[in-house]
Amino acid sequence: MTLRKVNISILVAAVVIFLLVLHHNFLGLSDLLKRELTDSNPLGLQPIDFIPAAPQRLTDERNDKEISVVIAASDERLGGAIAAMNSIYRNTRSSVVFYIVTLNDTVDHLRLWLRNTALKNLRYQILNFDPRVLEGKVQVDPQKADSIKPLTFARFYLPSFVPHAEKAIYVDDDVIVQDDILELYNTPLKPGHAAAFSDDCDSTTNKVAVRGAGNQYNYIGFLDYKKETIRKLAMKANTCSFNPGVFVANLTEWKLQNITKQLEKWMTLNVAEELYSRTLAGSITTPPLLIVFYKQHSSIDPLWNVRHLGTNASFSMKGSNAGKRYSPQFVKTAKLLHWNGHFKPWGRTASYAEVWEKWYVPDPTGKFSLIRRHPEAYEAK
């Protein structure tokens, strides 16, 4: 009997020691995870400013789904980003968090604009983009020091901006949203697809001829098929291209497939071999995306990227737009309007600039120059 008691005592002691060791290891693992979550990411992208939550009266009216929206904001185009965010925020009941990627010299201006206007209730995080990540990956013309805009490449690094999100939306700064962004966020992506884009051959854009742009809607308009490196990929030259100014990303797949590294690989190869078309039909960011996502992307509803509003527009001396590509009725039904091209709605010559102006929030510092062609757009504010 005494021996039995001794055995039970030894067993109890062993169980206690085991539990103590297990507890110690759990605490160590917890500390390790905390360190991993707080470590700087490889790009050195650090949050500069963050408003954690909207006022209670607003959250009560909105649904629970949190939507991550990434947008780049350069100082000379800051008004565009402001109008885009305002249009998204005012047209949804969802909880939207904006991840605003910018450069250090723009932060103070952006913060003042957000805090001292009707946008003060936005939930946002400002992230500084370090242009040094592009060294060796972008061809720089010594004669044109400002020819490369670093923030153009922000879309390549989405997981670094929203590391804990499973899904995110990227939008250019020259867009206006006229419907609930939740619908775009809910775009279904096929298994294995890391992103969904709007194809250039969709029903809303293939009727629009863009003069001087070459093969605007095909891969050959973006890539030099005379180069052996491109030919070896066996991509059909007449494959329909897509527009990277608006897309939905599955960040889990993006990380699993190492999309960012793939994009950087093709950027570096282009510097060495000049793989992009000499008559590039669109943005310098498009060719590597076309290669990486060749027949490996889903599609968004064409109405969520109604584009070419900033291409080849003309402006009459009387102040009315001529040569508009879409009817006013169609523009009203569009869910997202995109002024891609040289002519922006904050300038003189873009089509339907009056639609954009309804969402523009004037700069409290007066630094952003806007040509006010439609004063009535400000009277309702």
Side-chain angles (χ1 to χ4, degrees):
M1 191 68 179
T2 303
L3 182 60
R4 184 179 179 184
K5 287 183 178 180
V6 170
N7 289 338
I8 292 174
S9 298
I10 293 173
L11 181 61
V12 170
V15 170
V16 170
I17 292 171
F18 173 78
L19 291 174
L20 287 172
V21 171
L22 184 63
H23 180 66
H24 179 268
N25 290 340
F26 177 79
L27 289 177
L29 178 61
S30 178
D31 289 338
L32 176 62
L33 290 175
K34 287 178 180 178
R35 288 196 299 273
E36 288 179 351
L37 291 175
T38 55
D39 280 346
S40 300
N41 61 60
L43 291 181
L45 293 160
Q46 295 298 318
I48 297 172
D49 209 352
F50 184 61
I51 295 178
Q56 188 63 41
R57 62 182 178 80
L58 291 179
T59 56
D60 289 343
E61 297 173 358
R62 298 172 183 266
N63 64 42
D64 295 335
K65 187 178 286 290
E66 183 170 288
I67 300 173
S68 299
V69 176
V70 179
I71 186 169
S74 61
D75 204 53
E76 69 272 15
R77 297 164 61 112
L78 201 50
I82 290 292
M85 289 188 289
N86 188 37
S87 69
I88 292 170
Y89 178 68
R90 303 293 175 186
N91 282 306
T92 186
R93 298 176 67 84
S94 297
S95 176
V96 177
V97 179
F98 294 98
Y99 293 84
I100 312 169
V101 187
T102 190
L103 303 176
N104 268 330
D105 56 4
T106 305
V107 172
D108 290 340
H109 186 189
L110 175 59
R111 185 185 292 124
L112 284 170
W113 207 330
L114 292 171
R115 288 181 174 177
N116 298 314
T117 63
L119 300 174
K120 60 186 178 182
N121 289 325
L122 255 65
R123 299 178 65 202
Y124 65 87
Q125 186 170 343
I126 300 175
L127 294 159
N128 178 53
F129 185 79
D130 187 351
R132 289 177 296 181
V133 303
L134 301 176
E135 290 178 1
K137 304 179 184 75
V138 180
Q139 192 87 46
V140 179
D141 186 348
Q143 305 298 323
K144 300 177 182 178
D146 297 329
S147 60
I148 300 299
K149 306 295 183 183
L151 291 176
T152 306
F153 299 93
R155 71 199 80 193
F156 289 3
Y157 300 95
L158 290 186
S160 297
F161 305 135
V162 279
H164 307 304
E166 295 182 358
K167 199 174 185 181
I169 294 172
Y170 172 85
V171 294
D172 277 346
D173 59 8
D174 53 0
V175 308
I176 287 296
V177 171
Q178 300 188 126
D179 210 328
D180 193 339
I181 197 74
L182 177 63
E183 181 184 324
L184 178 60
Y185 184 83
N186 286 335
T187 297
L189 274 71
K190 295 179 181 178
H193 286 184
F197 301 91
S198 177
D199 291 330
D200 285 325
C201 302
D202 65 41
S203 59
T204 65
T205 60
N206 62 2
K207 298 175 183 178
V208 182
V210 181
R211 293 188 296 274
N215 296 279
Q216 175 75 10
Y217 307 118
N218 300 322
Y219 269 48
I220 198 171
F222 296 87
L223 298 165
D224 188 349
Y225 274 78
K226 295 179 181 178
K227 298 296 174 67
E228 185 180 359
T229 301
I230 296 298
R231 292 201 305 271
K232 282 183 176 179
L233 294 174
M235 300 183 301
K236 292 184 179 179
N238 65 350
T239 301
C240 183
S241 56
F242 55 78
N243 180 273
V246 178
F247 64 90
V248 181
N250 179 332
L251 297 181
T252 302
E253 277 294 336
W254 192 291
K255 288 181 280 191
L256 282 173
Q257 298 179 33
N258 220 346
I259 296 295
T260 296
K261 286 296 183 184
Q262 290 190 56
L263 293 169
E264 289 183 325
K265 166 194 169 182
W266 287 105
M267 292 166 69
T268 304
L269 279 172
N270 177 65
V271 171
E273 302 181 31
E274 296 185 350
L275 303 177
Y276 303 166
S277 171
R278 293 183 181 277
T279 57
L280 190 60
S283 168
I284 192 173
T285 62
T286 305
L289 286 164
L290 292 178
I291 295 173
V292 172
F293 287 103
Y294 179 69
K295 294 189 176 181
Q296 289 294 321
H297 69 276
S298 299
S299 298
I300 65 174
D301 182 339
L303 289 176
W304 274 105
N305 193 354
V306 174
R307 48 201 180 274
H308 301 304
L309 291 171
T311 307
N312 290 342
S314 59
F315 182 79
S316 73
M317 295 302 293
K318 293 183 180 180
S320 61
N321 285 358
K324 291 181 177 178
R325 300 182 180 281
Y326 307 114
S327 69
Q329 293 76 17
F330 178 73
V331 167
K332 286 181 180 179
T333 64
K335 299 174 187 293
L336 183 147
L337 298 172
H338 189 182
W339 282 266
N340 62 314
H342 295 295
F343 304 99
K344 301 304 178 186
W346 49 85
R348 283 189 178 276
T349 54
S351 296
Y352 294 107
E354 68 277 9
V355 178
W356 178 88
E357 289 178 16
K358 292 177 182 178
W359 300 105
Y360 174 70
V361 178
D363 182 1
T365 71
K367 293 180 182 178
F368 185 77
S369 177
L370 175 67
I371 301 170
R372 299 185 175 186
R373 301 196 336 264
H374 305 277
E376 67 278 4
Y378 299 89
E379 294 174 1
K381 288 193 179 294

